[in-house]
Coordinates of all heavy atoms in Angstrom, one line a residue:
M27 N 43.1 -15.4 13.7 CA 43.4 -15.8 15.0 C 43.0 -14.7 16.0 O 43.2 -13.5 15.8 CB 45.0 -16.0 15.1 CG 45.5 -16.3 16.5 SD 45.6 -18.1 16.9 CE 46.5 -18.7 15.5
H28 N 42.4 -15.1 17.1 CA 41.9 -14.2 18.1 C 42.6 -14.6 19.4 O 42.7 -15.8 19.8 CB 40.4 -14.2 18.3 CG 39.7 -13.7 17.0 ND1 39.7 -12.3 16.6 CD2 39.1 -14.4 16.0 CE1 39.1 -12.2 15.5 NE2 38.7 -13.4 15.1
L29 N 42.9 -13.6 20.3 CA 43.5 -13.8 21.6 C 42.4 -13.4 22.6 O 41.9 -12.2 22.5 CB 44.8 -13.1 21.8 CG 46.1 -13.6 21.1 CD1 46.0 -13.6 19.6 CD2 47.2 -12.9 21.7
V30 N 42.1 -14.3 23.5 CA 41.1 -14.0 24.6 C 41.8 -14.4 25.9 O 42.2 -15.6 26.1 CB 39.8 -14.8 24.3 CG1 38.8 -14.4 25.4 CG2 39.2 -14.5 22.9
G31 N 41.8 -13.5 26.9 CA 42.2 -13.7 28.2 C 41.1 -14.1 29.1 O 40.0 -13.5 29.0
V32 N 41.3 -15.1 30.0 CA 40.3 -15.4 30.9 C 40.9 -15.5 32.3 O 42.0 -16.2 32.4 CB 39.6 -16.8 30.6 CG1 38.6 -17.2 31.7 CG2 38.9 -16.7 29.2
L33 N 40.3 -14.9 33.4 CA 40.9 -15.0 34.7 C 40.1 -16.0 35.6 O 38.8 -15.9 35.5 CB 40.8 -13.6 35.3 CG 41.3 -13.6 36.8 CD1 42.8 -13.9 36.9 CD2 41.1 -12.1 37.4
L34 N 40.7 -16.9 36.2 CA 40.1 -17.8 37.2 C 40.6 -17.4 38.5 O 41.8 -17.3 38.8 CB 40.5 -19.2 36.8 CG 40.3 -19.7 35.4 CD1 40.8 -21.1 35.3 CD2 38.9 -19.6 35.0
T35 N 39.7 -17.3 39.5 CA 40.1 -17.1 40.9 C 39.4 -18.1 41.8 O 38.5 -18.8 41.4 CB 39.6 -15.6 41.4 OG1 38.2 -15.5 41.2 CG2 40.4 -14.6 40.6
A36 N 40.0 -18.2 43.0 CA 39.5 -19.2 44.0 C 37.9 -18.9 44.2 O 37.5 -17.8 44.4 CB 40.2 -19.2 45.3
A37 N 37.1 -20.0 44.1 CA 35.8 -19.9 44.3 C 35.4 -19.5 45.8 O 36.1 -19.7 46.6 CB 35.0 -21.2 44.0
T38 N 34.2 -18.9 46.0 CA 33.8 -18.6 47.2 C 33.9 -19.7 48.3 O 33.5 -20.8 47.9 CB 32.3 -18.1 47.3 OG1 32.2 -17.0 46.3 CG2 31.8 -17.6 48.6
G39 N 34.5 -19.5 49.4 CA 34.7 -20.6 50.3 C 36.0 -21.3 50.0 O 36.4 -22.2 50.9
G40 N 36.5 -21.2 48.9 CA 37.8 -21.9 48.6 C 39.0 -21.2 49.1 O 39.0 -20.1 49.5
S41 N 40.1 -21.9 49.1 CA 41.3 -21.3 49.5 C 42.3 -21.1 48.4 O 42.4 -22.0 47.5 CB 42.0 -22.3 50.5 OG 43.3 -21.9 50.8
A42 N 42.9 -19.9 48.3 CA 43.9 -19.6 47.3 C 45.3 -20.1 47.7 O 46.2 -19.8 47.1 CB 43.9 -18.1 47.0
G43 N 45.4 -20.8 48.9 CA 46.6 -21.1 49.5 C 47.5 -22.0 48.6 O 48.7 -21.7 48.2
T44 N 47.0 -23.1 48.1 CA 47.7 -24.0 47.2 C 47.3 -23.7 45.7 O 46.2 -24.0 45.4 CB 47.5 -25.5 47.5 OG1 47.7 -25.6 48.9 CG2 48.3 -26.4 46.8
R45 N 48.3 -23.2 45.1 CA 48.1 -22.9 43.6 C 48.3 -24.2 42.8 O 49.3 -24.9 43.0 CB 48.9 -21.7 43.2 CG 48.5 -20.4 43.8 CD 49.3 -19.3 43.3 NE 49.7 -18.5 44.5 CZ 50.7 -17.8 44.6 NH1 51.6 -17.8 43.7 NH2 50.9 -17.0 45.7
P46 N 47.6 -24.3 41.7 CA 47.9 -25.4 40.8 C 49.1 -25.2 40.0 O 49.5 -24.0 39.8 CB 46.6 -25.5 39.9 CG 46.1 -24.1 39.9 CD 46.4 -23.6 41.2
T47 N 49.8 -26.2 39.5 CA 51.0 -25.9 38.6 C 50.5 -25.7 37.3 O 49.4 -26.0 36.9 CB 51.8 -27.2 38.6 OG1 51.1 -28.3 38.0 CG2 52.4 -27.6 40.0
V48 N 51.4 -25.1 36.4 CA 51.0 -24.9 35.0 C 50.7 -26.2 34.4 O 49.7 -26.3 33.6 CB 52.2 -24.2 34.3 CG1 52.0 -24.2 32.8 CG2 52.4 -22.8 34.8
G49 N 51.4 -27.2 34.6 CA 51.2 -28.5 34.0 C 49.8 -29.1 34.4 O 49.1 -29.7 33.5
A50 N 49.4 -29.0 35.7 CA 48.1 -29.3 36.1 C 47.0 -28.6 35.4 O 45.9 -29.2 35.1 CB 47.9 -29.3 37.6
V51 N 47.2 -27.2 35.2 CA 46.1 -26.4 34.5 C 46.1 -26.9 33.1 O 44.9 -27.0 32.5 CB 46.6 -25.0 34.6 CG1 45.6 -24.1 33.8 CG2 46.4 -24.5 36.1
L52 N 47.2 -27.1 32.4 CA 47.2 -27.5 31.0 C 46.5 -28.8 30.9 O 45.7 -29.1 29.9 CB 48.6 -27.5 30.4 CG 49.3 -26.2 30.2 CD1 50.8 -26.4 29.8 CD2 48.5 -25.4 29.1
S53 N 46.8 -29.7 31.8 CA 46.1 -31.1 31.7 C 44.6 -30.9 31.9 O 43.8 -31.6 31.2 CB 46.7 -32.0 32.8 OG 46.1 -33.2 32.9
A54 N 44.2 -30.0 32.9 CA 42.8 -29.8 33.1 C 42.1 -29.3 31.8 O 41.0 -29.7 31.4 CB 42.6 -28.9 34.3
L55 N 42.7 -28.3 31.2 CA 42.1 -27.7 30.0 C 42.1 -28.7 28.8 O 41.2 -28.7 28.1 CB 42.9 -26.4 29.6 CG 42.7 -25.3 30.6 CD1 43.7 -24.2 30.5 CD2 41.3 -24.8 30.5
D56 N 43.2 -29.5 28.7 CA 43.3 -30.5 27.6 C 42.1 -31.5 27.8 O 41.6 -31.9 26.8 CB 44.6 -31.2 27.7 CG 44.8 -32.1 26.4 OD1 44.7 -31.7 25.3 OD2 45.1 -33.3 26.7
S57 N 41.8 -31.8 29.1 CA 40.8 -32.9 29.2 C 39.3 -32.4 28.9 O 38.4 -33.2 28.7 CB 40.7 -33.3 30.7 OG 40.2 -32.3 31.6
V58 N 39.2 -31.1 28.7 CA 37.8 -30.5 28.4 C 37.8 -29.9 27.0 O 36.8 -29.2 26.7 CB 37.3 -29.6 29.5 CG1 37.1 -30.3 30.8 CG2 38.2 -28.3 29.6
T59 N 38.9 -29.9 26.3 CA 39.0 -29.2 25.0 C 39.0 -30.2 23.8 O 39.6 -31.3 24.0 CB 40.3 -28.4 24.9 OG1 40.3 -27.5 26.0 CG2 40.4 -27.6 23.6
S60 N 38.3 -29.9 22.8 CA 38.3 -30.7 21.6 C 38.8 -29.9 20.4 O 38.9 -28.7 20.5 CB 36.9 -31.2 21.3 OG 36.0 -30.3 20.7
A61 N 39.0 -30.7 19.3 CA 39.5 -29.9 18.1 C 38.5 -28.9 17.6 O 38.9 -27.9 17.0 CB 39.8 -31.0 17.0
R62 N 37.3 -29.1 17.8 CA 36.2 -28.2 17.4 C 36.3 -26.8 18.1 O 35.8 -25.9 17.6 CB 34.8 -28.8 17.6 CG 34.4 -29.9 16.8 CD 33.1 -30.4 17.1 NE 32.8 -30.4 18.5 CZ 31.6 -30.6 19.0 NH1 30.6 -31.0 18.2 NH2 31.4 -30.6 20.3
D63 N 37.0 -26.8 19.3 CA 37.1 -25.5 20.0 C 38.1 -24.5 19.3 O 38.1 -23.4 19.6 CB 37.6 -25.8 21.4 CG 36.6 -26.4 22.2 OD1 35.4 -26.0 22.2 OD2 36.9 -27.4 23.0
G64 N 38.9 -25.1 18.4 CA 39.8 -24.2 17.7 C 41.0 -23.6 18.4 O 41.5 -22.6 18.0
V65 N 41.4 -24.2 19.5 CA 42.5 -23.7 20.3 C 43.8 -24.0 19.6 O 44.1 -25.2 19.4 CB 42.5 -24.3 21.7 CG1 43.8 -23.8 22.5 CG2 41.3 -23.9 22.4
E66 N 44.5 -23.0 19.1 CA 45.8 -23.2 18.5 C 47.0 -23.2 19.4 O 48.0 -23.9 19.3 CB 46.1 -22.1 17.4 CG 45.1 -22.1 16.2 CD 45.5 -23.3 15.3 OE1 46.6 -23.7 15.2 OE2 44.5 -23.9 14.8
H67 N 46.8 -22.4 20.6 CA 47.9 -22.3 21.5 C 47.2 -21.8 22.8 O 46.2 -21.1 22.8 CB 48.9 -21.3 21.0 CG 50.0 -21.1 22.0 ND1 51.0 -22.0 22.2 CD2 50.3 -20.0 22.8 CE1 51.9 -21.5 23.0 NE2 51.5 -20.3 23.5
L68 N 47.8 -22.1 24.0 CA 47.3 -21.6 25.2 C 48.5 -21.2 26.1 O 49.4 -22.0 26.3 CB 46.5 -22.8 25.8 CG 45.9 -22.5 27.2 CD1 44.8 -21.5 27.2 CD2 45.2 -23.8 27.7
H69 N 48.3 -20.1 26.7 CA 49.3 -19.6 27.7 C 48.7 -19.6 29.1 O 47.6 -19.2 29.3 CB 49.8 -18.3 27.3 CG 50.9 -17.8 28.2 ND1 50.6 -17.0 29.3 CD2 52.2 -18.0 28.3 CE1 51.8 -16.7 29.9 NE2 52.7 -17.3 29.4
V70 N 49.4 -20.2 30.1 CA 48.9 -20.2 31.4 C 50.0 -19.4 32.3 O 51.1 -19.6 32.2 CB 48.9 -21.6 32.0 CG1 48.5 -21.7 33.5 CG2 47.9 -22.5 31.1
H71 N 49.3 -18.5 33.2 CA 50.2 -17.8 34.1 C 49.5 -17.9 35.5 O 48.3 -17.5 35.6 CB 50.2 -16.3 33.6 CG 51.1 -15.4 34.5 ND1 52.5 -15.6 34.4 CD2 50.9 -14.5 35.4 CE1 53.1 -14.7 35.2 NE2 52.1 -14.1 35.9
I72 N 50.3 -18.5 36.4 CA 49.8 -18.6 37.7 C 50.2 -17.3 38.5 O 51.3 -16.9 38.5 CB 50.4 -19.8 38.5 CG1 50.2 -21.1 37.6 CG2 49.8 -20.0 39.9 CD1 48.8 -21.5 37.3
T73 N 49.2 -16.6 39.1 CA 49.4 -15.4 39.8 C 48.9 -15.5 41.3 O 48.2 -16.5 41.6 CB 48.7 -14.2 39.1 OG1 47.3 -14.3 39.4 CG2 49.0 -14.2 37.7
P74 N 49.3 -14.6 42.1 CA 48.7 -14.6 43.5 C 47.2 -14.4 43.5 O 46.5 -14.9 44.3 CB 49.4 -13.4 44.2 CG 50.7 -13.2 43.4 CD 50.3 -13.6 42.0
R75 N 46.7 -13.8 42.4 CA 45.2 -13.6 42.3 C 44.4 -14.8 41.8 O 43.3 -14.9 42.0 CB 45.0 -12.4 41.4 CG 43.6 -11.9 41.4 CD 43.5 -10.6 40.6 NE 42.1 -10.3 40.4 CZ 41.7 -9.6 39.4 NH1 42.5 -9.0 38.6 NH2 40.4 -9.4 39.3
G76 N 45.1 -15.7 41.1 CA 44.5 -16.9 40.5 C 45.3 -17.4 39.4 O 46.5 -17.4 39.4
V77 N 44.5 -17.8 38.3 CA 45.1 -18.3 37.1 C 44.7 -17.5 35.9 O 43.5 -17.3 35.7 CB 44.7 -19.8 36.9 CG1 45.3 -20.4 35.6 CG2 45.1 -20.7 38.1
R78 N 45.6 -17.0 35.2 CA 45.3 -16.2 34.0 C 45.6 -17.1 32.7 O 46.7 -17.5 32.6 CB 46.2 -14.9 33.9 CG 45.7 -14.0 32.8 CD 46.3 -12.6 32.9 NE 47.8 -12.7 32.8 CZ 48.7 -12.2 33.6 NH1 48.3 -11.3 34.6 NH2 49.9 -12.3 33.4
L79 N 44.6 -17.3 31.9 CA 44.7 -18.0 30.7 C 44.6 -17.1 29.5 O 43.9 -16.2 29.5 CB 43.5 -19.0 30.6 CG 43.2 -19.9 31.8 CD1 41.9 -20.7 31.6 CD2 44.4 -20.8 32.0
T80 N 45.4 -17.4 28.4 CA 45.3 -16.7 27.2 C 45.1 -17.7 26.1 O 46.0 -18.6 25.9 CB 46.6 -15.9 26.9 OG1 46.9 -14.9 27.9 CG2 46.5 -15.1 25.6
F81 N 44.0 -17.7 25.5 CA 43.6 -18.6 24.5 C 43.9 -17.9 23.1 O 43.6 -16.8 22.8 CB 42.1 -18.9 24.5 CG 41.7 -19.7 25.6 CD1 41.3 -19.1 26.8 CD2 41.6 -21.1 25.6 CE1 40.9 -19.9 27.9 CE2 41.2 -21.9 26.6 CZ 40.8 -21.2 27.8
Y82 N 44.6 -18.7 22.2 CA 44.8 -18.4 20.8 C 43.9 -19.2 20.0 O 44.1 -20.4 19.9 CB 46.3 -18.6 20.4 CG 47.3 -17.8 21.2 CD1 47.6 -18.0 22.5 CD2 47.9 -16.7 20.6 CE1 48.5 -17.3 23.2 CE2 48.9 -16.0 21.3 CZ 49.1 -16.2 22.6 OH 50.1 -15.5 23.3
L83 N 42.8 -18.6 19.5 CA 41.7 -19.3 18.8 C 41.7 -19.0 17.3 O 41.7 -17.8 16.9 CB 40.4 -19.0 19.5 CG 40.3 -19.5 21.0 CD1 39.5 -18.5 21.8 CD2 39.8 -20.8 21.0
A84 N 41.5 -20.1 16.5 CA 41.5 -19.8 15.0 C 40.2 -20.4 14.5 O 39.5 -21.2 15.1 CB 42.7 -20.6 14.4
G85 N 39.8 -20.0 13.3 CA 38.7 -20.6 12.6 C 37.3 -20.0 13.1 O 36.3 -20.7 12.9
C86 N 37.4 -18.9 13.7 CA 36.1 -18.3 14.2 C 36.2 -16.7 14.2 O 37.3 -16.2 14.1 CB 35.8 -18.8 15.5 SG 37.1 -18.5 16.8
D87 N 35.0 -16.1 14.3 CA 35.1 -14.6 14.4 C 35.3 -14.3 15.9 O 35.4 -15.2 16.8 CB 33.8 -14.0 14.0 CG 32.5 -14.4 14.7 OD1 32.6 -14.8 15.8 OD2 31.5 -14.2 14.0
L88 N 35.5 -13.1 16.2 CA 35.8 -12.6 17.5 C 34.7 -13.0 18.6 O 35.1 -13.5 19.6 CB 36.1 -11.1 17.6 CG 36.5 -10.5 18.9 CD1 37.8 -11.1 19.5 CD2 36.7 -9.0 18.8
T89 N 33.5 -12.8 18.3 CA 32.4 -13.1 19.2 C 32.5 -14.6 19.5 O 32.3 -15.0 20.7 CB 31.0 -12.7 18.6 OG1 31.1 -11.3 18.3 CG2 30.0 -13.1 19.6
D90 N 32.6 -15.4 18.5 CA 32.7 -16.9 18.8 C 34.0 -17.2 19.6 O 33.9 -18.1 20.4 CB 32.7 -17.6 17.4 CG 32.4 -19.1 17.6 OD1 31.7 -19.5 18.5 OD2 32.9 -19.9 16.7
A91 N 35.1 -16.5 19.3 CA 36.3 -16.8 20.1 C 36.1 -16.6 21.5 O 36.5 -17.3 22.4 CB 37.4 -15.9 19.5
V92 N 35.5 -15.4 21.9 CA 35.2 -15.1 23.3 C 34.4 -16.2 23.9 O 34.6 -16.7 25.0 CB 34.6 -13.7 23.4 CG1 34.1 -13.5 24.8 CG2 35.6 -12.7 23.0
G93 N 33.3 -16.6 23.2 CA 32.4 -17.6 23.7 C 33.1 -19.0 23.9 O 32.9 -19.6 24.9
R94 N 33.9 -19.3 23.0 CA 34.7 -20.6 23.1 C 35.6 -20.6 24.3 O 35.7 -21.5 25.1 CB 35.5 -20.9 21.8 CG 34.6 -21.2 20.6 CD 35.5 -21.4 19.4 NE 34.7 -21.6 18.2 CZ 35.2 -22.1 17.1 NH1 36.4 -22.4 17.0 NH2 34.4 -22.2 16.1
A95 N 36.4 -19.5 24.4 CA 37.3 -19.4 25.6 C 36.6 -19.5 26.9 O 37.0 -20.2 27.8 CB 38.1 -18.1 25.5
I96 N 35.5 -18.8 27.1 CA 34.8 -18.8 28.3 C 34.1 -20.2 28.5 O 34.1 -20.7 29.6 CB 33.7 -17.7 28.3 CG1 34.4 -16.3 28.3 CG2 32.7 -17.8 29.5 CD1 33.4 -15.1 28.1
A97 N 33.6 -20.7 27.5 CA 33.0 -22.1 27.7 C 34.0 -23.1 28.1 O 33.8 -24.0 28.9 CB 32.4 -22.6 26.3
I98 N 35.3 -23.0 27.5 CA 36.3 -24.1 27.9 C 36.6 -23.8 29.3 O 36.8 -24.8 30.1 CB 37.5 -23.9 27.0 CG1 37.2 -24.3 25.6 CG2 38.7 -24.7 27.5 CD1 38.3 -23.8 24.5
A99 N 36.9 -22.6 29.7 CA 37.2 -22.3 31.2 C 36.0 -22.8 32.1 O 36.4 -23.4 33.1 CB 37.4 -20.8 31.3
H100 N 34.8 -22.6 31.7 CA 33.7 -23.1 32.6 C 33.7 -24.6 32.6 O 33.5 -25.2 33.7 CB 32.4 -22.6 32.1 CG 32.0 -21.2 32.5 ND1 31.6 -20.9 33.8 CD2 32.0 -20.1 31.9 CE1 31.4 -19.7 34.0 NE2 31.6 -19.1 32.9
R101 N 34.0 -25.3 31.5 CA 34.0 -26.7 31.6 C 35.2 -27.2 32.5 O 35.0 -28.2 33.2 CB 34.3 -27.3 30.2 CG 33.0 -27.2 29.3 CD 33.1 -28.0 28.0 NE 34.3 -27.8 27.2 CZ 34.3 -27.2 26.1 NH1 33.3 -26.4 25.6 NH2 35.4 -27.1 25.3
A102 N 36.3 -26.5 32.5 CA 37.5 -26.9 33.3 C 37.2 -26.7 34.7 O 37.6 -27.6 35.5 CB 38.7 -26.1 32.9
V103 N 36.5 -25.7 35.1 CA 36.2 -25.4 36.6 C 35.1 -26.3 37.1 O 34.9 -26.5 38.3 CB 36.0 -24.0 37.0 CG1 37.3 -23.1 36.6 CG2 34.8 -23.4 36.3
A104 N 34.2 -26.8 36.2 CA 33.0 -27.6 36.5 C 33.5 -29.0 36.7 O 32.7 -29.8 37.4 CB 32.0 -27.5 35.5
G105 N 34.6 -29.5 36.1 CA 34.9 -30.9 36.2 C 35.8 -31.2 37.4 O 36.3 -30.3 38.1
P106 N 36.1 -32.5 37.5 CA 37.0 -33.0 38.6 C 38.5 -32.8 38.2 O 39.2 -33.7 38.0 CB 36.6 -34.4 38.8 CG 36.2 -34.9 37.4 CD 35.6 -33.6 36.8
T107 N 38.9 -31.5 38.1 CA 40.2 -31.2 37.6 C 40.9 -30.3 38.7 O 40.4 -30.0 39.7 CB 40.2 -30.4 36.3 OG1 39.7 -29.1 36.6 CG2 39.4 -31.1 35.2
A108 N 42.2 -30.0 38.4 CA 42.9 -29.1 39.3 C 42.3 -27.7 39.4 O 42.7 -27.0 40.3 CB 44.3 -29.0 38.9
L109 N 41.4 -27.4 38.5 CA 40.7 -26.1 38.6 C 39.3 -26.1 39.2 O 38.6 -25.1 39.2 CB 40.6 -25.5 37.1 CG 41.9 -25.3 36.4 CD1 41.7 -25.0 35.0 CD2 42.7 -24.2 37.2
A110 N 39.0 -27.2 39.8 CA 37.6 -27.4 40.4 C 37.3 -26.4 41.5 O 36.1 -26.1 41.6 CB 37.4 -28.9 40.9
R111 N 38.2 -25.9 42.1 CA 38.0 -24.9 43.3 C 38.1 -23.5 42.8 O 38.0 -22.6 43.5 CB 39.0 -25.1 44.4 CG 40.4 -24.9 44.0 CD 41.3 -25.3 45.2 NE 42.7 -25.1 44.8 CZ 43.3 -24.0 44.9 NH1 42.7 -22.9 45.3 NH2 44.6 -23.8 44.5
F112 N 38.1 -23.3 41.5 CA 38.2 -22.0 40.9 C 36.9 -21.6 40.1 O 36.1 -22.5 39.9 CB 39.4 -21.9 39.8 CG 40.7 -21.9 40.5 CD1 41.4 -23.1 40.9 CD2 41.4 -20.6 40.8 CE1 42.6 -23.0 41.5 CE2 42.6 -20.6 41.4 CZ 43.2 -21.8 41.7
A113 N 36.7 -20.3 39.9 CA 35.6 -19.8 39.2 C 36.1 -18.9 38.1 O 37.1 -18.2 38.2 CB 34.7 -19.1 40.2
V114 N 35.4 -18.8 37.0 CA 35.7 -17.8 35.9 C 35.2 -16.5 36.4 O 34.0 -16.3 36.6 CB 35.0 -18.3 34.6 CG1 35.2 -17.2 33.5 CG2 35.4 -19.7 34.2
T115 N 36.0 -15.5 36.5 CA 35.7 -14.3 37.1 C 35.8 -13.0 36.1 O 35.3 -12.0 36.4 CB 36.5 -13.9 38.3 OG1 37.8 -14.0 38.1 CG2 36.1 -14.9 39.5
D116 N 36.6 -13.3 35.1 CA 36.8 -12.1 34.1 C 37.3 -12.6 32.8 O 37.8 -13.6 32.7 CB 37.7 -11.1 34.7 CG 37.7 -9.7 34.1 OD1 36.7 -9.4 33.3 OD2 38.6 -8.8 34.4
F117 N 37.1 -11.8 31.8 CA 37.7 -12.1 30.5 C 38.1 -10.7 29.8 O 37.5 -9.7 30.2 CB 36.8 -12.9 29.6 CG 35.7 -12.2 28.9 CD1 35.9 -11.6 27.6 CD2 34.5 -11.9 29.6 CE1 34.9 -10.9 27.1 CE2 33.5 -11.2 29.0 CZ 33.7 -10.7 27.7
N118 N 39.0 -10.8 28.8 CA 39.2 -9.6 27.9 C 39.7 -10.1 26.6 O 40.3 -11.1 26.4 CB 40.2 -8.7 28.6 CG 41.5 -9.3 29.0 OD1 41.6 -10.5 29.2 ND2 42.5 -8.5 29.1
V119 N 39.5 -9.3 25.6 CA 39.9 -9.5 24.2 C 41.3 -8.9 24.1 O 41.5 -7.7 24.5 CB 39.0 -8.9 23.2 CG1 39.5 -9.0 21.8 CG2 37.6 -9.6 23.3
L120 N 42.2 -9.7 23.7 CA 43.7 -9.2 23.6 C 44.1 -9.0 22.1 O 45.3 -8.7 21.9 CB 44.5 -10.3 24.3 CG 44.2 -10.6 25.7 CD1 45.1 -11.7 26.2 CD2 44.4 -9.4 26.5
D121 N 43.1 -9.1 21.2 CA 43.5 -8.8 19.8 C 44.0 -7.4 19.6 O 43.6 -6.4 20.2 CB 42.3 -8.9 18.9 CG 41.8 -10.4 18.7 OD1 42.4 -11.3 19.3 OD2 40.8 -10.6 17.9
R122 N 44.9 -7.3 18.7 CA 45.4 -5.9 18.2 C 44.4 -5.5 17.1 O 43.9 -6.3 16.3 CB 46.8 -6.0 17.6 CG 47.8 -6.2 18.7 CD 49.2 -6.0 18.1 NE 50.1 -6.8 18.7 CZ 51.2 -7.2 18.2 NH1 51.5 -6.9 16.9 NH2 52.1 -8.0 18.9
P123 N 44.1 -4.2 17.1 CA 43.3 -3.7 16.0 C 43.9 -4.0 14.7 O 45.1 -3.9 14.5 CB 43.2 -2.1 16.3 CG 43.7 -2.0 17.7 CD 44.6 -3.1 18.0
A124 N 43.0 -4.2 13.7 CA 43.5 -4.6 12.4 C 44.0 -3.3 11.7 O 43.6 -2.2 12.0 CB 42.4 -5.3 11.5
G125 N 44.8 -3.4 10.7 CA 45.2 -2.3 9.9 C 46.7 -1.9 10.2 O 47.3 -2.5 11.1
P126 N 47.3 -0.9 9.5 CA 48.6 -0.6 9.7 C 48.8 0.1 11.0 O 47.9 0.8 11.5 CB 48.9 0.4 8.5 CG 47.5 0.9 8.1 CD 46.5 -0.2 8.4
R127 N 50.0 0.0 11.5 CA 50.3 0.7 12.8 C 50.6 2.1 12.5 O 51.2 2.5 11.5 CB 51.6 0.0 13.4 CG 51.3 -1.4 13.8 CD 52.5 -2.1 14.3 NE 52.6 -1.7 15.7 CZ 53.5 -2.1 16.6 NH1 54.6 -2.7 16.1 NH2 53.5 -1.8 17.8
R128 N 50.3 3.0 13.4 CA 50.4 4.4 13.2 C 51.5 4.8 14.2 O 51.5 4.5 15.4 CB 49.1 5.2 13.5 CG 48.1 4.9 12.6 CD 46.8 5.6 12.9 NE 45.8 5.3 12.0 CZ 44.7 6.0 11.8 NH1 44.6 7.2 12.3 NH2 43.7 5.6 11.0
D129 N 52.3 5.8 13.8 CA 53.3 6.4 14.6 C 52.7 7.5 15.3 O 52.0 8.4 14.7 CB 54.4 6.9 13.7 CG 55.7 7.2 14.6 OD1 55.6 7.1 15.8 OD2 56.7 7.5 14.0
T130 N 52.8 7.6 16.6 CA 52.1 8.6 17.4 C 53.0 9.8 17.8 O 52.7 10.5 18.8 CB 51.5 8.0 18.7 OG1 52.6 7.4 19.4 CG2 50.4 7.0 18.3
H131 N 54.0 10.1 17.1 CA 54.9 11.2 17.4 C 54.2 12.5 17.2 O 53.6 12.9 16.4 CB 56.2 11.2 16.5 CG 57.0 10.0 17.0 ND1 58.1 10.1 17.7 CD2 56.9 8.7 16.6 CE1 58.7 9.0 17.9 NE2 58.0 8.0 17.3

């Protein structure tokens, strides 16, 4: 399982005034996601800066997980969805390093 964060912000010329609801974002993402994408879970956080998505992806390596998360986000903003006025502006890998935890005392 890999966790990948993606940030969507209002596209150039767009207005950040009316933010989509979490339900509208989930619906938009559901409409462009298939079982092949490997999304096990998705967290949506609406912020003043935009929409922050956290994808929990299974059945792939880390590089593929990043590619899948970004591709899904691009499909969502390209379609006639609640995210159409947004753009994919950033991503980050949220996985914890593998191995035992170390005490840093």
Side-chain angles (χ1 to χ4, degrees):
M27 177 88 57
H28 297 287
L29 281 68
V30 179
V32 177
L33 178 64
L34 309 177
T35 56
T38 304
S41 168
T44 306
R45 294 184 219 146
T47 65
V48 170
V51 172
L52 288 171
S53 178
L55 292 164
D56 187 54
S57 73
V58 298
T59 305
S60 73
R62 293 183 319 175
D63 290 316
V65 177
E66 290 290 324
H67 181 74
L68 177 66
H69 181 264
V70 175
H71 185 74
I72 309 296
T73 72
R75 190 170 167 207
V77 179
R78 190 172 59 224
L79 309 171
T80 303
F81 291 89
Y82 296 72
L83 297 144
C86 57
D87 64 21
L88 180 58
T89 302
D90 195 29
V92 169
R94 289 179 188 192
I96 293 171
I98 293 165
H100 276 289
R101 290 194 307 256
V103 300
T107 70
L109 296 174
R111 62 186 180 82
F112 286 84
V114 178
T115 54
D116 197 11
F117 78 92
N118 58 337
V119 175
L120 304 171
D121 286 5
R122 287 190 211 155
R127 297 180 84 183
R128 295 182 187 200
D129 194 356
T130 57
H131 291 258

